[in-house]
């Protein structure tokens, strides 16, 4: 399953938005990036897509109460997706007409009576809450036990521990919201997947009849996550009933919960992704070896990640998109970011620019082909100064003030205006600092 397009009407800050996410050659797998400032609507787009993917029942539990989603002054709002599906991996339940290559799935918010503060949250196009005939999404991606239709979503707070009791209740649910809890709740953690890994290890010790299948999963997880995911040569060294241990290239071994926030965040996210794929597709053939000998999971689906760069060093921000695309080659990643290094990894027709709410002259839009190529081929410095991020300079305000002061004093000196002794000393000091900052290049080149 892939998202071919997303359409929002009256959802929060978006009066109307429609993005086509299909790749130029067809399909949807790869890296799709939404960039924009704070409060530009990136999270709204990702959460709206998630709600349409999992439907009003699962989604309603995550956003209860469903207030705050309808644009001010309106009585209804909607989020609609066009989804493509793969008969080899996605199957419909119950008798009924099988759709073509694509079908629609959507949700809506509706104020039924004037004065109501909390809208009804329902399936799009379903006016009767006591529906008799199931819709196509209810037989597919919204169905609890239908095979395939994988999707998952992660928010910026991707912790390994610290989940509240209420958030934990959603995490251990067998329904679709269990794979989206952190996207909607900051009090949620991804601890359940590490618990799953430890349970698998315990089962491998107890059940001889299932040891082969369980061992295949455990070995697959270790091979996948040990293939350059973590820095400093870190790999899962061993799994016990109490801990998952990692060892770095220097031989230091620690429980995963004791390493840095960035490592734990990525580890928890990837392990949760593997866990979700295992629950949906099973163990048989889940792990494969690609043409380069790398362990990969070649199953389709949609994975949403909000602010993926959180806690990551710039070098990791640069590398993590390619790692994910390599090891999950059939996944459609929808990510939001403030990082030019994440944006530069976008695949064709995979970069969307959202202006700030205060900038009413601009509209949310896809990057043009020329903008996309400039960002993909440019340096991070040029990207952050371009249309996607909109900065006029990467200097701090302090540095800009110092530069302006140097320009004022330097202009007076060149025009023959006598400088006070304090101004001469200030000009000399500023020039020395600028020459040092410019690594020996003359300050006059600014």
């Amino acid at each position: 399953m892939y998202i071919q397009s997303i359409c929002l009407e009256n959802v929060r800050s978006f009066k109307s938005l429609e993005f086509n996410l299909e790749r130029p050659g067809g399909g949807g797998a790869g890296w799709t990036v939404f960039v924009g400032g704070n409060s530009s609507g990136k999270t709204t787009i990702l959460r709206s897509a998630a709600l349409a993917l999992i439907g009003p029942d699962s989604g309603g539990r995550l956003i209860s109460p469903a207030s705050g989603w309808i644009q001010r002054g309106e009585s209804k709002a909607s989020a609609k997706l066009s989804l493509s599906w793969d008969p080899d991996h996605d199957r419909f339940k119950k008798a009924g007409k099988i759709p073509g290559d694509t079908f629609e799935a959507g949700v809506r918010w509706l104020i039924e009576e004037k004065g109501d503060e909390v809208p009804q949250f329902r399936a799009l196009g379903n006016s009767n809450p006591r529906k008799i005939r199931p819709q196509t999404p209810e037989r597919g991606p919204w169905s609890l036990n239908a095979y395939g239709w994988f999707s998952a979503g992660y928010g910026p707070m991707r912790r390994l521990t610290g989940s509240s009791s209420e958030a934990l209740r959603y995490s251990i649910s067998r329904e679709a919201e269990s794979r989206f809890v952190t996207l909607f709740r900051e009090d949620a953690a991804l601890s359940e997947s590490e618990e799953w890994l430890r349970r698998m290890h315990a089962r491998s010790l107890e059940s001889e009849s299932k040891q082969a299948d369980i061992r295949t999963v455990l070995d697959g997880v270790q091979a996948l996550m040990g293939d350059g995911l973590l820095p400093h040569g870190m790999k899962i060294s061993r799994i016990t009933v109490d801990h998952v241990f990692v060892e770095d290239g220097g031989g230091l071994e620690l429980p995963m919960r004791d390493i840095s926030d960035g490592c734990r965040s990525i580890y928890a996210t990837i392990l949760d992704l593997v866990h979700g794929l295992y629950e949906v597709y099973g163990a048989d053939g889940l792990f494969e070896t690609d043409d380069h000998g790398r362990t990969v999971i070649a199953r389709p689906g949609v994975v949403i990640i909000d602010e993926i760069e959180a806690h990551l060093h710039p070098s990791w921000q640069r590398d993590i998109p390619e790692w994910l695309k390599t090891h999950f080659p059939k996944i459609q990643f929808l990510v939001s970011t403030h990082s030019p290094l994440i944006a530069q990894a976008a695949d064709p027709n995979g970069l969307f620019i959202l202006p700030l709410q205060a900038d009413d002259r601009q509209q949310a839009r896809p990057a043009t082909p020329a903008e996309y190529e400039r960002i993909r081929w440019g340096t991070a410095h040029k990207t952050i100064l371009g249309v996607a991020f909109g900065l006029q300079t990467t200097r701090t305000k302090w540095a800009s003030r110092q530069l302006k002061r140097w320009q004022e004093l330097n202009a007076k000196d060149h025009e023959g205006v006598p400088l006070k002794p304090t101004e001469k000393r200030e000009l000399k000091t500023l020039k020395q600092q600028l020459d040092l900052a410019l690594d020996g290049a003359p300050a006059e080149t600014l």
Side-chain angles (χ1 to χ4, degrees), residues 144-166:
L144 175 60
N145 297 313
Y147 181 83
W149 310 105
F150 177 77
S151 62
Y154 304 96
M157 306 294 288
R158 300 179 293 273
R159 301 189 304 271
L160 188 58
T161 59
S163 186
S164 71
S165 57
E166 184 178 1

Side-chain angles (χ1 to χ4, degrees), residues 149-209:
W149 310 105
F150 177 77
S151 62
Y154 304 96
M157 306 294 288
R158 300 179 293 273
R159 301 189 304 271
L160 188 58
T161 59
S163 186
S164 71
S165 57
E166 184 178 1
L168 183 60
R169 177 166 56 87
Y170 292 114
S171 298
I172 63 177
S173 165
R174 296 285 297 176
E175 302 204 32
E177 67 260 27
S178 66
R179 300 194 301 273
F180 287 85
V181 183
T182 66
L183 184 60
F184 290 88
R185 299 183 63 105
E186 292 185 359
D187 61 343
L190 297 172
S191 54
E192 178 60 22
S193 290
E194 190 181 56
E195 176 63 25
W196 162 73
L197 197 62
R198 297 199 304 268
R199 285 198 307 268
M200 293 286 283
H201 171 74
R203 288 172 58 195
S204 72
L205 302 176
E206 297 170 359
S207 175
E208 292 186 9
S209 61

Side-chain angles (χ1 to χ4, degrees), residues 320-386:
I320 195 63
E322 292 302 323
W323 192 95
L324 286 167
K325 289 193 287 183
T326 296
H327 292 83
F328 299 92
K330 293 188 176 182
I331 291 291
Q332 180 183 35
F333 290 97
L334 274 58
V335 305
S336 71
T337 189
H338 296 116
S339 167
L341 297 167
I342 298 294
Q344 287 177 319
D347 286 308
N349 195 41
L351 184 62
F352 296 85
I353 300 169
L354 281 70
L356 292 170
Q357 285 188 10
D359 189 359
D360 55 9
R361 300 167 301 172
Q362 301 292 329
Q363 296 292 323
R365 62 180 179 83
T368 67
E371 290 169 344
Y372 169 73
E373 291 298 338
R374 281 197 294 269
I375 289 171
R376 184 168 64 158
W377 284 92
T379 64
H381 176 79
K382 287 187 177 180
T383 298
I384 207 167
L385 294 174

Side-chain angles (χ1 to χ4, degrees), residues 99-178:
D101 294 338
T102 62
F103 62 93
E104 291 185 350
V107 292
R108 64 175 181 160
W109 297 261
L110 177 66
I111 298 290
E112 293 187 315
E113 296 184 15
K114 190 175 181 179
D116 286 351
E117 294 185 0
V118 180
Q120 299 296 314
F121 183 60
R122 296 178 181 163
L124 184 63
N126 192 355
S127 59
N128 180 8
R130 295 200 225 164
K131 53 201 177 288
I132 298 174
R133 180 178 297 174
Q135 297 180 301
T136 298
E138 292 171 327
R139 297 167 43 234
W142 297 355
S143 174
L144 175 60
N145 297 313
Y147 181 83
W149 310 105
F150 177 77
S151 62
Y154 304 96
M157 306 294 288
R158 300 179 293 273
R159 301 189 304 271
L160 188 58
T161 59
S163 186
S164 71
S165 57
E166 184 178 1
L168 183 60
R169 177 166 56 87
Y170 292 114
S171 298
I172 63 177
S173 165
R174 296 285 297 176
E175 302 204 32
E177 67 260 27
S178 66

